[in-house]
Amino acid sequence: MIWSRAVSFVNARVVADAGVADSVRFSSRVLAIGDRPRGGDTVVDLNGAVVLPGLVNAHDHLELNHYGRIKFRDRYENASEWSQDLAPRLAGDKAIARARAHPLIERLFIGALKNLLAGVTMVAHHNPFYPELRRTIPIRVLRRYGWAHSFYLERRPSGAYGEPGGDVAGRWRATPPGLPFFVHLAEGVDVEARSELPRLEALGCVGPNTAIVHGIAIDGGEWARVASRGAGLVWCPASNAFLFGQTAAVRQALDGGARMTIALATDSRLTGSRDLLDELRVARDGACVTPDELLRMVTSDAAALLRQPRAGRTVVGAPADLVVIPPLAPTPAASLVASERKDVGLVMIDGRPLVGDHAFASVFKARRVTPRAVTVDAAPKLMDSALVRRIAGCPIAEPGVAIA
Ligand SMILES: [Zn+2]
C-alpha cells in the first residue's frame, strides 16, 4: 500500500548503498535518497541523526527469550553438555517449568519484541516455522529456510512441541540451493566440537547456502576452506563467552582469502545478550573487528546470508524498513555500536512507525498510527497503540518496558 502523504527526513545521515546521504523520502517504500522534500511531504529535521536499514538478526530462538540466562556449570566444553544439563530441568525446575507453560504465541511475541526494541526488523528463527509466527508478530521473521539443530540433537527434541533437531545431511539435501541452511556447528572447545566441520564436509553439506552457527572450534586455517566453498558464519560472541569463555576466530575468518559472509546474531537470552545492540558491544570488545565490519554484519551481510536481497540495505524501491539512531560518535557505524535500545530514535517497517521518540510524533500522524506513551529503560517513547495493547495483554513482561 502506498500512502498519499510521503515523509522526508532531512539534515540526516542516511546510510545507503551509494554512500551517506543527507535525506531520505519514503512512503511504504523508499522513494528517494538525497533528494529535496516535495510539496505535501511530512518533513522531519533529524539534526544529524543516523538513518540505517532495519537491522537483521541472523540467529535467535524466539520462544526462548523470557527465561533469563541459564547454565549449571561455570564453563562447558561442548554445547551438548549444556543441553544435557538443561533437559531434566525443563519439567523438574519450577521456575523453568512455569516459564515454559506460557502459550507459545506469547513466548514468540516476547522474542519478537526484544528484537524490535533494538532496531531489528528481520530475524532468522532457528527451529520450525511455527504457525503462531504468522500471527501478531511485530517484525519480519524469515519464512523460507532449511535448518537442523545440530549433530548432537539430530534425534532428540529441539522444538517447542518436541520436534527433533533433524538429520543434518538429510535436511541439508532437502533445502533448495537458493535458500539458506542453518545448523549449530562446532559449538564448543573439545575434540568432539573440532570434529564437526570435517564431518559436515565429509557429508558434502558445506556449500554456498550453508550458514554455520557458532563455529567456535573451527581454527584459522579451516576458515579459508569454509570461505572457498562460499559458506558463511553466524557469530554469537555473547553466548559463546557465557558458555565457553571464548568465541569463533572471526578475524582469521574475515582475513582468510575468499571474502566470508559473517552475520552477528544474538542467539536466545538463555545464553546470549539482551539484544542485538548489546551484542555489538560484546563483539567490539572481544574481537578485532571494526565498527564498519560490525555494521555490515547486522545489515547487508546478514541479509546476504539469509538470501534476502531487499533487507539490510537502504535503496530506492525497497521496503522502508528503517531505524533512526542518535549521532553518538563521529561515524554512523560507531554510533550504532554505541547505541542502546533506549537511544533508538525510531523503528519502522514498511514505513510504518512502531516505536520511537516523541520527536517523531508527526510520522505516526502521517501514517495514521495512533501512538501511546511508553517508557523503554526509563526513556520516554511513543509506540503503536495496537502493539501497546498486545504488550498489556501478554502474560510475560518484558523487563524495562512500561506503559505510561
Ligand atoms: Zn542457537
Side-chain angles (χ1 to χ4, degrees), residues 77-149:
E77 298 275 297
N78 193 295
S80 63
E81 300 167 340
W82 177 84
S83 177
Q84 282 160 24
D85 274 359
L86 184 62
R89 278 129 169 146
L90 292 176
D93 180 294
K94 271 197 185 126
I96 295 174
R98 212 169 26 245
R100 202 159 166 251
H102 289 298
L104 180 59
I105 190 163
E106 306 295 345
R107 295 157 60 192
L108 294 166
F109 172 72
I110 291 297
L113 181 64
K114 148 196 157 174
N115 281 288
L116 172 71
L117 294 173
V120 173
T121 55
M122 172 172 278
V123 64
H125 166 70
H126 196 101
N127 248 345
F129 190 90
Y130 307 118
E132 287 85 347
L133 285 169
R134 294 175 201 277
R135 295 187 283 132
T136 69
I137 295 299
I139 62 171
R140 299 185 198 274
V141 183
L142 184 69
R143 284 199 179 198
R144 301 186 66 227
Y145 59 96
W147 72 284
H149 186 278

Side-chain angles (χ1 to χ4, degrees), residues 244-289:
F244 310 107
Q246 56 179 281
T247 191
V250 165
R251 191 68 258 163
Q252 282 108 308
L254 283 165
D255 295 340
R259 184 177 174 315
M260 242 190 87
T261 305
I262 301 182
L264 181 75
T266 57
D267 214 332
S268 82
R269 288 174 176 163
L270 276 181
T271 57
S273 52
R274 180 178 67 167
D275 60 40
L276 194 58
L277 296 175
D278 286 1
E279 191 80 31
L280 281 161
R281 280 180 293 282
V282 174
R284 174 200 60 191
D285 296 342
C288 295
V289 286

Side-chain angles (χ1 to χ4, degrees), residues 59 61 184 214 267:
H59 186 71
H61 306 261
H184 296 107
H214 297 307
D267 214 332

Side-chain angles (χ1 to χ4, degrees), residues 45-398:
D45 185 331
L46 260 53
N47 296 309
V50 175
V51 181
L52 298 173
L55 306 184
V56 178
N57 184 4
H59 186 71
D60 202 333
H61 306 261
L62 289 173
E63 74 275 45
L64 301 178
N65 283 291
H66 63 297
Y67 294 87
R69 272 186 161 177
I70 296 178
K71 66 178 176 180
F72 308 94
R73 308 179 203 179
D74 187 38
R75 287 280 161 84
Y76 287 92
E77 298 275 297
N78 193 295
S80 63
E81 300 167 340
W82 177 84
S83 177
Q84 282 160 24
D85 274 359
L86 184 62
R89 278 129 169 146
L90 292 176
D93 180 294
K94 271 197 185 126
I96 295 174
R98 212 169 26 245
R100 202 159 166 251
H102 289 298
L104 180 59
I105 190 163
E106 306 295 345
R107 295 157 60 192
L108 294 166
F109 172 72
I110 291 297
L113 181 64
K114 148 196 157 174
N115 281 288
L116 172 71
L117 294 173
V120 173
T121 55
M122 172 172 278
V123 64
H125 166 70
H126 196 101
N127 248 345
F129 190 90
Y130 307 118
E132 287 85 347
L133 285 169
R134 294 175 201 277
R135 295 187 283 132
T136 69
I137 295 299
I139 62 171
R140 299 185 198 274
V141 183
L142 184 69
R143 284 199 179 198
R144 301 186 66 227
Y145 59 96
W147 72 284
H149 186 278
S150 55
F151 280 122
Y152 63 88
L153 283 190
E154 280 191 314
R155 271 166 286 280
R156 280 187 276 176
S158 98
Y161 297 114
E163 302 93 330
D167 175 69
V168 173
R171 291 273 184 91
W172 188 84
R173 281 195 293 273
T175 304
L179 298 186
F181 175 80
F182 300 93
V183 61
H184 296 107
L185 196 84
E187 189 183 4
V189 295
D190 61 0
V191 173
E192 182 69 27
R194 281 198 294 276
S195 74
E196 287 192 347
L197 176 64
R199 187 174 167 189
L200 195 68
E201 289 173 311
L203 290 166
C205 302
V206 180
N209 66 335
T210 304
I212 292 172
V213 182
H214 297 307
I216 304 160
I218 296 174
D219 73 34
E222 288 178 310
W223 281 119
R225 231 161 60 219
V226 173
S228 72
R229 294 193 173 275
L233 167 68
V234 180
W235 179 37
C236 307
S239 171
N240 300 161
F242 178 69
L243 293 179
F244 310 107
Q246 56 179 281
T247 191
V250 165
R251 191 68 258 163
Q252 282 108 308
L254 283 165
D255 295 340
R259 184 177 174 315
M260 242 190 87
T261 305
I262 301 182
L264 181 75
T266 57
D267 214 332
S268 82
R269 288 174 176 163
L270 276 181
T271 57
S273 52
R274 180 178 67 167
D275 60 40
L276 194 58
L277 296 175
D278 286 1
E279 191 80 31
L280 281 161
R281 280 180 293 282
V282 174
R284 174 200 60 191
D285 296 342
C288 295
V289 286
T290 66
D292 285 314
E293 287 170 333
L294 289 169
L295 172 61
R296 286 198 295 274
M297 288 183 195
V298 295
T299 56
S300 53
D301 281 11
L305 211 66
L306 269 53
R307 304 293 180 107
Q308 293 292 306
R310 280 147 47 102
R313 52 202 289 246
T314 301
V315 60
V316 171
D321 293 4
L322 299 171
V323 176
V324 179
I325 57 167
L328 298 176
T331 69
S335 293
L336 175 66
V337 176
S339 291
E340 299 173 36
R341 68 180 192 177
K342 68 174 166 52
D343 303 314
V344 173
L346 186 64
V347 186
M348 293 182 293
I349 294 181
D350 283 333
R352 198 173 185 285
L354 289 159
V355 59
D357 289 338
H358 285 257
F360 291 101
S362 61
V363 181
F364 283 83
K365 196 171 176 211
R367 288 289 167 261
R368 299 202 178 99
V369 174
T370 306
R372 269 191 69 183
V374 299
T375 59
V376 176
D377 301 335
K381 302 283 178 189
L382 295 176
M383 187 181 275
D384 176 355
S385 60
L387 184 56
V388 174
R389 277 196 302 279
R390 185 72 186 80
I391 291 170
C394 182
I396 310 168
E398 167 64 12

